[in-house]
Amino acid sequence: MLLPQPKVFITGASSGLGAAVARHYGALGAQLGLAGRRLDGLQDTAAGLDARLYQADVRDAAAMQSAAHAFLSEVGPPDIVIAAAGISVGTLTEAAEDGPTFRAVMDANVLGLVHTFQPFIGPMTINGGVLCGISSVAGVRGLPGGGAYSASKAAATVYLEALRLELKARGIHVVTVAPGYIDTPMTQVNPYAMPFRMTAATAAAKVARCIAHRRAYTVIPWQMAWAARLLKWLPIPVYDSVFEKAPRKPRGLPI
């Protein structure tokens, strides 16, 4: 059940799913802390909402510490922390120029979770709450041309599972949401069909429902959940034959 005027801290709130989640909770009267790399995007998201803005990159542990401490000082311990920031871009191991991109993706999608949650765990132990990490269906199997992204999301899912067990006895719930395709700038560059694609607002409502019900791990939408189960259990020869020549995420995108 959602508390009256809950305190919610969200990363990746400059655009995409993070912005949609912020608007969802903002419409319910939440006191928001919005973190993101682009101040103009944060300002657009926050229009008409009770929000405090923190320009910060989740890859920067010191910046996230500063943002968290400011929110704790101004608002108090959050009831919900949602780590929605992430980077999605095509990569090839053979391309030396993609080395920095691999690091950026892993830093944002895995260490970004750590940097987001760490400052809040101690303060949240008093009254409990929810830490929600956004993973992806792309972490279920390795996608050609998307090694960095698939690996990062697989790592994120396993990290969040470990964190859930670590914090269970302390009254802090850890919720993992693995979306399929969401209509955001991150996917609008994809040169291939995206089945079961959701609007950002629809995805945000589903994320909020997972948080409200304290669901440990959920793939959204339900159609993609069935597809993920099938992908997980496909024998390697079958998976390889189907996906070896699958269309790939573009490389060289801005990160």
Side-chain angles (χ1 to χ4, degrees), residues 79-160:
D79 302 297
I80 301 169
V81 178
I82 303 171
I87 295 175
S88 175
V89 61
T91 49
L92 286 178
T93 299
E94 68 200 59
E97 64 271 23
D98 283 5
T101 303
F102 269 88
R103 180 174 294 278
V105 171
M106 297 299 290
D107 281 353
N109 297 356
V110 184
L111 290 178
L113 297 173
V114 180
H115 299 159
T116 298
F117 295 147
Q118 184 277 324
F120 290 116
I121 290 174
M124 289 177 71
T125 300
I126 299 170
N127 295 314
V130 178
L131 305 178
C132 174
I134 303 300
S135 184
S136 172
V137 172
V140 173
R141 301 292 292 258
L143 297 174
Y149 188 69
S150 287
S152 73
K153 290 304 185 178
T157 296
V158 176
Y159 160 71
L160 289 163

Side-chain angles (χ1 to χ4, degrees), residues 3 30 55 82 180 185 209 216 252:
L3 298 170
Q55 188 174 12
I82 303 171
R209 193 173 304 120

Side-chain angles (χ1 to χ4, degrees), residues 160-185:
L160 289 163
E161 183 168 58
L163 186 64
R164 184 179 74 244
L165 297 176
E166 291 169 9
L167 298 181
K168 200 166 188 178
R170 299 171 67 180
I172 300 176
H173 300 269
V174 177
V175 170
T176 304
V177 183
Y181 296 111
I182 305 172
D183 188 11
T184 68

Side-chain angles (χ1 to χ4, degrees), residues 163-230:
L163 186 64
R164 184 179 74 244
L165 297 176
E166 291 169 9
L167 298 181
K168 200 166 188 178
R170 299 171 67 180
I172 300 176
H173 300 269
V174 177
V175 170
T176 304
V177 183
Y181 296 111
I182 305 172
D183 188 11
T184 68
M186 184 180 287
T187 62
Q188 288 163 2
V189 298
N190 292 346
Y192 45 79
M194 292 175 277
F196 316 124
R197 180 164 49 171
M198 302 171 283
T199 66
T202 296
K206 292 180 183 296
V207 169
R209 193 173 304 120
C210 292
I211 291 170
H213 291 283
R214 309 294 196 260
R215 292 176 182 162
Y217 176 84
T218 308
V219 175
I220 58 172
W222 67 266
Q223 297 96 326
M224 191 59 80
W226 282 104
R229 291 188 183 97
L230 175 62

